[in-house]
Amino acid sequence: MSIFKQSIVAFAIFALGACSTPPQKPASQSIGDYTYTSEYIGWLIKQEMSDADITGLSIALVDDKNIIWAQGFGYADKQADIKATPDTVYNVGSVSKVFTATAAMQLAEQGMLDIDQPLQKYLPEFSIKSRFGDTHKITPRNLMTHHSGLPCNWVQGMIERHPGQFTEVVTAVKDEYTAYPTDYVFSYSNLGITLLGATVGKVGSTEYTQYMDTHLLSPLGMTHSKFATSTTSKSYDKGKEIEVMPMRDLPASGLNSSVSDIAHFMQMVLAAGKYNGRQILKPESLREMFKVQNADVQMDFDSKVGLGWMLNAVEIPRSGTVASHGGLTLNFHTLMVVLPEHKLGVVVMSNSTTAQSVVSKVAAETLRLALEAKRGIAQPAMVMTKVKSDLPAEGYTRAYEGYFDTFIGLLKVSGKPGDLHTEFMGQKFELILHEDKEVGVLFKLFGFIPFRIDALDDVRISIHKINGRDVLALKNNGQSMLIGEKLTPVAIPEQMLDYVGDYE
């Protein structure tokens, strides 16, 4: 999830949430004392679970080689009265991608896989059409960085009650087209990581699931974990149990695990690739995975991605590199975040569809407090102040009016000079033109009361012309990232209008 999305969700919840009293922060605390961290985050989790109607959630905090705190909240199985614990199993969704990338780097260490060679060298049966030139530029490296240009998904058979083998996609896409040129723009691709998993199995001379168990899960003592299309874990929507749909693409989203097991993986990462005396991954491989891979990609602005990891996507000020990956499925939400320079890590999992913003908020706040507890690095306080809505009527540019295709869906910016607005996750925001021609964001509580939020003061939105496209960028804390592209309205074919309506 992006910094912008996390921030907006957190602020909206802050404004509308419950007002019970949190634990009092001590005037001083000893370095390495995480008592207040666990007390405050435990209180926060209970508040957020109540507000968002979350049934079960588990969390684990790691400091170097030690699991500092691990706890479950709510229920793993509400009907059977089974409480959530650190060992409760959830589907971790896209956190699976970090494991697949780690396996690929293991093979690279052994000289069995060159991540800069064409993918077809290892999967000769793979082919896909392209309007942008040679597909031999698709490599394991740009699969791991989501710069391969491949489509996001091969949807046919992806989520169904009896999915086929994920390796079927290797040849299934032969008549499809790439979405972008390679190394042109960050474009998240489950398909790409699924192909990387097929490569891991083939190069490793075994089935993907067997390789992952033999070379990662078992050596890390992840006894509650396995890659599988289905899980026996329960899932809930506002307290009501819902069906858990199996998913075909194991390398991209098929890991079922617990926070206690993911904590073992983070311990290995924070210990330069070593776990229980065994070198799982070489330190230089980890350094490469945490290295910014897309610094020269113009369309990515300041957003950063490593090999398998998202970099600085979670905002933890003064923490150095922040490496993370989230997992979002129809049933579960997960976020794993590590601070390599401070040897801290957290993982949060939930079995509820309403937990996405809560998981992100809890993970970020846990690391902010843990960083203060371990290093004495305090975080800036969040301040919210009501302000008068006295916005300039002149100076707005029509460039910001219209429809934008963004990573959070279709956004419409509308209104009139002096009153441009948009909506995000059910909350209304007013857009304010600044002297630098960038647009600021003003949150409107209940949709009409303007509120100033200090953390939004630095948020700016701007339009840029890149390669003939009008693209929308967001700047926060001095960093810009691509969030979408402006669409030119076209006539809608009559047959498409038949699909207009509400769907569940």
Side-chain angles (χ1 to χ4, degrees), residues 103-104 106-108 110-113 122-123 125 166-167 196-215:
Q106 286 182 327
L107 293 169
Q110 301 167 40
M112 300 173 68
L113 177 68
Y122 306 103
L123 289 179
E125 63 273 34
F166 77 85
T167 51
L196 183 67
T199 303
V200 167
K202 190 160 187 177
V203 173
S205 301
T206 185
E207 289 186 353
Y208 168 82
T209 55
Q210 183 61 49
Y211 181 93
M212 300 303 288
D213 183 66
T214 302
H215 296 276

Side-chain angles (χ1 to χ4, degrees), residues 386-418:
K386 185 177 179 181
V387 297
K388 181 181 178 182
S389 180
D390 186 15
L391 307 178
E394 302 298 331
Y396 279 91
T397 171
R398 291 191 178 276
Y400 290 97
E401 296 182 55
Y403 290 91
F404 294 86
D405 180 18
T406 77
F407 57 77
I408 56 171
L410 185 67
L411 290 183
K412 181 183 180 182
V413 177
S414 58
K416 57 185 179 180

Side-chain angles (χ1 to χ4, degrees), residues 97-142:
K97 293 176 172 67
V98 179
F99 285 77
T100 301
T102 301
M105 295 303 288
Q106 286 182 327
L107 293 169
E109 290 177 354
Q110 301 167 40
M112 300 173 68
L113 177 68
D114 186 335
I115 65 173
D116 293 310
Q117 288 294 308
L119 179 64
Q120 289 170 320
K121 176 178 179 179
Y122 306 103
L123 289 179
E125 63 273 34
F126 163 73
S127 67
I128 191 168
K129 297 179 180 180
S130 175
R131 299 178 178 89
F132 311 108
D134 190 0
T135 59
H136 281 80
K137 294 180 180 179
I138 299 174
T139 65
R141 183 185 294 273
N142 55 41

Side-chain angles (χ1 to χ4, degrees), residues 486-499:
K486 190 172 184 180
L487 300 177
T488 301
V490 296
I492 301 175
E494 190 67 32
Q495 60 268 32
M496 294 302 297
L497 293 175
D498 293 338
Y499 292 93

Side-chain angles (χ1 to χ4, degrees), residues 445-501:
L445 183 61
F446 306 121
F448 64 92
I449 303 175
F451 269 80
R452 174 175 168 263
I453 303 173
D454 280 2
L456 283 182
D457 282 350
D458 291 332
V459 171
R460 296 289 186 273
I461 298 172
S462 55
I463 286 182
H464 303 259
K465 179 79 73 174
I466 299 180
N467 297 327
R469 300 171 181 265
D470 290 321
V471 298
L472 201 63
L474 179 139
K475 182 191 293 182
N476 189 35
N477 294 322
Q479 293 190 338
S480 296
M481 64 179 293
L482 178 72
I483 59 173
E485 178 180 354
K486 190 172 184 180
L487 300 177
T488 301
V490 296
I492 301 175
E494 190 67 32
Q495 60 268 32
M496 294 302 297
L497 293 175
D498 293 338
Y499 292 93
V500 173

Side-chain angles (χ1 to χ4, degrees), residues 250-272:
L250 299 182
S253 57
L255 179 60
N256 299 298
S257 189
S258 64
V259 296
S260 57
D261 275 10
I262 297 295
H264 294 179
F265 179 80
M266 292 191 295
Q267 286 174 300
M268 178 273 291
V269 167
L270 298 174

Side-chain angles (χ1 to χ4, degrees), residues 54 59 177 186 228 253 272 289 312 321 350 394 413 415 418 482 488:
I54 295 171
I59 183 173
Y177 286 84
F186 176 89
S253 57
M289 294 181 80
N312 299 341
T321 299
S350 177
E394 302 298 331
V413 177
L482 178 72
T488 301

Side-chain angles (χ1 to χ4, degrees), residues 13 36 71 74 146 159 250 280 303 332 345 358 381 443:
I13 292 175
Y36 175 72
Q71 189 173 342
H146 299 280
I159 302 175
L250 299 182
I280 307 297
S303 62
F332 301 93
V358 173
F443 172 60

